Amino acid sequence: MKVWKYHNPVDITFGWGSLSQLPKLLKGRRAVVVTFPQAKETGLLGQLQTFLGKQLAGVIDDVQPNPELSWVSGHYKEFWKHYADCVVVAVGGGSVLDSAKMFLPGVASADFAEIHAALASGQTPSVSRALPMIAVPTTAGTGSEVTPWATLWDRTSAQHQKYSLHLAQTWPEAALVDPELTLSLPAIVTRDSNLDALSHALEAIWNVNANPVSDGLALQAAQTVVRHLPALLDNPSSVPLRTLASQASLLAGLAFSNTKTALAHNISYEMTLKHGLTHGLACSFTLPMVWRLAWGKRADRDAVLQQVFGSHVADPASALDQFLGSVGVSSDFKAHGVTDEQASDMVARALQGPRGRNFVHTVEV
Ligand SMILES: [Fe+2]
């Protein structure tokens, strides 16, 4: 029988209004807040300043969507100069959480170029010290609060490079998940981020690294999104539905923190870089196609996938297609500006990519 392990070191606090627990999680330490530009006008930054008082050492609030190498490089040295004794409190969506993770590893040169050079050559950077992080997601989708991964983009390079930073030091110390923070999200962000969570869940199931713990977490997350996202989009101020969406995101994050993602995410990177789709849309519109590729390859994976919509559903990939249509997402590449020929080339490339190789696309013998 196959040996498996599950490991996740992140301390989790979850609940409506739980942002007030932040000072408790800091245990007297100073904090630097990393957040998004609109945090000030929405009142979120003011709330954080009230909770943190004199413990707040500084704020970095110019994080942009999809973290850029140049942004991180421009901030890294100053960050370490001023905040080397701080806990990094990252408050925002996936881009904020990923950007904040870039600051956690400290290197001898105090220059991010050292980390970039290691990433570019496939080496592990030599980390001399590290900062702890408390991750506070403001969307229900990324799962980054319970994973060690951070995506970094370099659009200034000739090939538009994407890097994935993943070190023992980039696991958050704690995740503080307060669904109330998602209450004011625009409908499109609510939808796309929760579709990202659905993608994390399904990608953890059709994954060569799946295990019984990740399956249980992923299944619960996927069922929650397909059952409740349409209702949430109709009732965006519903406390129970917002709570379920955040819960699904967290559980999916816990699942893929051990399996990593798979084919849909590998395809998504090209859709984001070349076609400008948001991450949530880019990694979810292909899910019915990827489901059909996975289906019939491994009986144990089919058994878990079958439970997403229930055993009474004869064609679950079509049920997923209908679900996406019900929230306004087309699963057709052409609807996203990609021809059939380009799509099949993209899928073939993605299958060879690092995440694509996690996908269960061959029959197990
Ligand atoms: Fe994702």
Side-chain angles (χ1 to χ4, degrees), residues 141-142 196-197 199-200 256 261 265 269 279 283:
T142 169
D196 186 23
S199 185
H200 296 155
F256 92 97
T261 52
H265 271 71
Y269 302 132
H279 175 68
C283 71

